[in-house]
Amino acid sequence: EVQFVESGGGLVQAGGSLRLSCVASGFTGDDYAIGWFRQAPGKKREGVLCISGRDGRIITSDSAKGRFTISSDNAKSTVYLQMNSLKPEDTAVYYCATGVHVSDYCAYDRWGQGTQVTVSS
């Protein structure tokens, strides 16, 4: 059974930082992409960062460039999202997810329950 355990969300002031963690288990093979997407109330799901399973390349959204980074352990069983210089518009539920790397984005087919990130102004 595929499982995700996400942690690290919370309330932070604008300009602050948070680090999200995700322990993923139950996967077979090593060619899957793993990363994070977010969804704010009333808005579409938005990819944030992911690690390609094909070549290890990191795919970064425009909103994350220069502020967020992704990392993982060698087995990709734990993935981290370091978020710096947070803005109120970063407020959303953040989901750890796996899928495939397609062109310049990651298409996810499994994800966790999400962790709330709230950035106050």
Side-chain angles (χ1 to χ4, degrees):
E1 181 184 358
V2 174
Q3 289 186 328
F4 301 87
V5 179
E6 299 145 318
S7 61
L11 173 64
V12 64
Q13 288 188 330
S17 298
L18 280 175
R19 188 192 196 208
L20 307 184
S21 299
C22 171
V23 179
S25 61
F27 299 95
T28 58
D30 59 2
D31 58 350
Y32 57 87
I34 188 166
W36 297 85
F37 69 87
R38 68 186 184 184
Q39 189 160 25
K43 294 190 176 181
K44 292 182 179 179
R45 182 185 303 178
E46 177 189 12
V48 180
L49 286 160
C50 75
I51 302 172
S52 171
R54 295 200 314 239
D55 54 18
R57 185 161 61 99
I58 294 175
I59 295 88
T60 307
S61 67
D62 288 341
S63 61
K65 285 178 182 175
R67 299 189 300 128
F68 297 179
T69 56
I70 190 171
S71 61
S72 71
D73 63 12
N74 288 338
K76 292 194 296 185
S77 61
T78 304
V79 62
Y80 305 96
L81 179 64
Q82 177 67 44
M83 304 186 291
N84 300 325
S85 303
L86 283 161
K87 305 174 183 179
E89 51 264 44
D90 294 318
T91 295
V93 178
Y94 285 70
Y95 297 86
C96 178
T98 61
V100 294
H101 173 202
V102 180
S103 183
D104 60 351
Y105 68 96
C106 287
Y108 299 117
D109 57 7
R110 294 186 181 98
W111 51 86
Q113 293 190 334
T115 184
Q116 176 71 46
V117 171
T118 303
V119 184
S120 63
S121 59

